[in-house]
Amino acid sequence: MKKTLVALSVLAAAANVNAGEIYATDASKVSLKGEIDAYVAQSDIEKSQVRDEKDANVVTWGKIQLDAEHKLNADLTVMGSFEIESSSGAADGTDNSAVFDDMYVGVKADSWTVAVGEVGDVADSTDAIEKGDITNEGKFFGHAGGHRSESKGNGIVLKADLADNLVFVADVHTVSDKDVENTIGGSLDWAINDMFSIGGSFVSGEQAKDVDYRVGGVAASMTAGGFMVAATYTQFEGVNSFGLFGSKNNDIDYDYMNGDAYVVALQYTIDKTRLYATYDVMGLDEKTVGGADANGDTTNLVVGAEYSVMDNLTVFTEYQTADTSNDFDGATATGLASGQGLDADVYLVGAYYTF
């Protein structure tokens, strides 16, 4: 289930405040917190030559998170975390099996942190270009499908405060296959006077043997008087994720593509209410393997509103619509007929509750 830093900033703060200490000493602390998300979704998504229509249905997701810290000395602290998650609903089927996720261990000081494992919750080299990722469940193209290997748990990350409001992140995500290159990334993010911020990221590796993967982009945001506007531009190579049209739908593999993405995001917050909208364009230039022309693009519009009932409970409604041009070449020839555009619509009403 998609999570976004901006959309859940209030909830994240509440979760930190409400995290219950299981035990604590002068040198050690173990805390427990959790989250339950629930929403009703109705969708109509054209996937290749098949329409996937789902009537209004309930989707739930929940987690319990355990965080631990132990002071090595006055300057260094060992820390670790893991989550136990479960979900059910039309998107994934009803299973309710619990799985471990976001597991990492690391060391931190006042100005830097190093961690190994699934380290995205510590830092990610694409964080700096996700300023426009302000929706609750809507898709976001600014990071070109997201860090391809962050969730696999084979990462090492360094996050450092280089100067006031200047943050550097570097990460490596390892692959055991000797014929596939590891994915290496880095970013800089600079906040200026609590009003402006600008960031840049670059990630490079391989999706498979001889299939290059690269994402490089810049993003900027401005906040004033309850308004926030953000813009992102990204070039990508070796990407096969196109928002609601997926990376794999109805057993149709989407080809790896090169191209660029543009994102504009706007939100307005007044008291406990936040209104937001994002518009994304992902254009395809050529196929990563072979270099054949890959004409076409896909667009994605999300509009939504949320209300903070209390510090740890937010309700929201959201509408997302997406389509592709008639010459969209994101899927294999057997999956997408020539000259056929795709379209999709998703409606959501939901709530996020943390404890």
Side-chain angles (χ1 to χ4, degrees):
M1 181 171 290
K2 182 175 178 289
K3 295 293 179 294
T4 59
L5 295 176
V6 178
L8 297 179
S9 58
V10 174
L11 295 182
N16 289 334
V17 171
N18 294 333
E21 289 187 356
I22 297 177
Y23 72 84
T25 67
D26 291 341
S28 301
K29 179 176 69 173
V30 177
S31 303
L32 186 70
K33 60 186 177 184
E35 179 179 345
I36 299 173
D37 301 345
Y39 56 85
V40 178
Q42 180 174 342
S43 62
D44 180 3
I45 303 174
E46 186 177 8
K47 302 177 177 180
S48 67
Q49 299 180 35
V50 179
R51 298 199 73 89
D52 183 9
E53 297 184 58
K54 290 186 172 67
D55 202 359
N57 61 95
V58 174
V59 179
T60 59
W61 175 90
K63 74 170 184 179
I64 293 292
Q65 180 174 334
L66 191 72
D67 299 316
E69 293 186 358
H70 183 87
K71 286 187 174 296
L72 285 175
N73 51 48
D75 299 317
L76 299 177
T77 300
V78 176
M79 47 90 175
S81 178
F82 65 84
E83 300 174 2
I84 303 174
E85 299 180 359
S86 180
S87 63
S88 63
D92 302 311
T94 300
D95 184 353
N96 292 323
S97 297
V99 296
F100 283 79
D101 195 22
D102 293 327
M103 185 181 302
Y104 64 84
V105 63
V107 178
K108 65 180 181 179
D110 289 339
S111 61
W112 57 266
T113 301
V114 173
V116 298
E118 188 175 346
V119 295
D121 283 355
V122 177
D124 187 327
S125 54
T126 60
D127 287 344
I129 57 172
E130 295 178 357
K131 301 179 188 301
D133 192 4
I134 62 173
T135 68
N136 284 306
E137 297 294 327
K139 299 296 184 180
F140 176 69
F141 291 169
H143 53 201
H147 200 303
R148 75 166 185 91
S149 54
E150 182 278 322
S151 64
K152 295 182 180 179
N154 301 317
I156 305 170
V157 69
L158 164 67
K159 179 180 180 181
D161 298 323
L162 301 183
D164 288 343
N165 300 318
L166 179 62
V167 177
F168 169 73
V169 173
D171 52 20
V172 178
H173 292 270
T174 60
V175 180
S176 59
D177 188 339
K178 65 182 179 61
D179 294 323
V180 179
E181 292 182 1
N182 294 333
T183 299
I184 301 173
S187 68
L188 283 171
D189 200 3
W190 184 31
I192 310 166
N193 298 326
D194 296 325
M195 185 175 180
F196 301 98
S197 70
I198 184 169
S201 299
F202 182 76
V203 180
S204 179
E206 283 188 326
Q207 293 277 23
K209 183 179 180 181
D210 299 326
V211 181
D212 292 335
Y213 168 75
R214 292 184 181 86
V215 174
V218 293
S221 67
M222 181 183 72
T223 303
F227 284 96
M228 191 283 290
V229 61
T232 304
Y233 171 71
T234 301
Q235 290 187 331
F236 58 84
E237 181 176 355
V239 169
N240 68 337
S241 179
F242 310 106
L244 290 173
F245 307 112
S247 55
K248 189 179 181 68
N249 286 313
N250 290 346
D251 296 323
I252 297 166
D253 291 316
Y254 281 61
D255 289 333
Y256 293 114
M257 295 289 176
N258 305 343
D260 46 25
Y262 309 82
V263 180
V264 176
L266 177 67
Q267 74 177 20
Y268 177 65
T269 304
I270 179 170
D271 296 329
K272 296 182 177 182
T273 301
R274 185 175 71 96
L275 309 175
Y276 58 88
T278 63
Y279 183 71
D280 305 46
V281 179
M282 200 169 191
L284 309 181
D285 295 332
E286 64 179 16
K287 295 185 179 182
T288 303
V289 179
D293 288 342
N295 299 318
D297 56 51
T298 179
T299 62
N300 194 79
L301 172 68
V302 182
V303 293
E306 69 175 34
Y307 179 76
S308 296
V309 180
M310 52 187 179
D311 287 344
N312 63 335
L313 175 62
T314 294
V315 295
F316 69 94
T317 182
E318 194 170 83
Y319 169 65
Q320 180 175 190
T321 183
D323 59 39
T324 72
S325 59
N326 288 336
D327 55 354
F328 181 74
D329 199 15
T332 57
T334 57
L336 183 64
S338 177
Q340 175 190 346
L342 305 177
D343 62 79
D345 295 281
V346 178
Y347 306 86
L348 291 172
V349 177
Y352 297 145
Y353 170 58
T354 62
F355 53 90

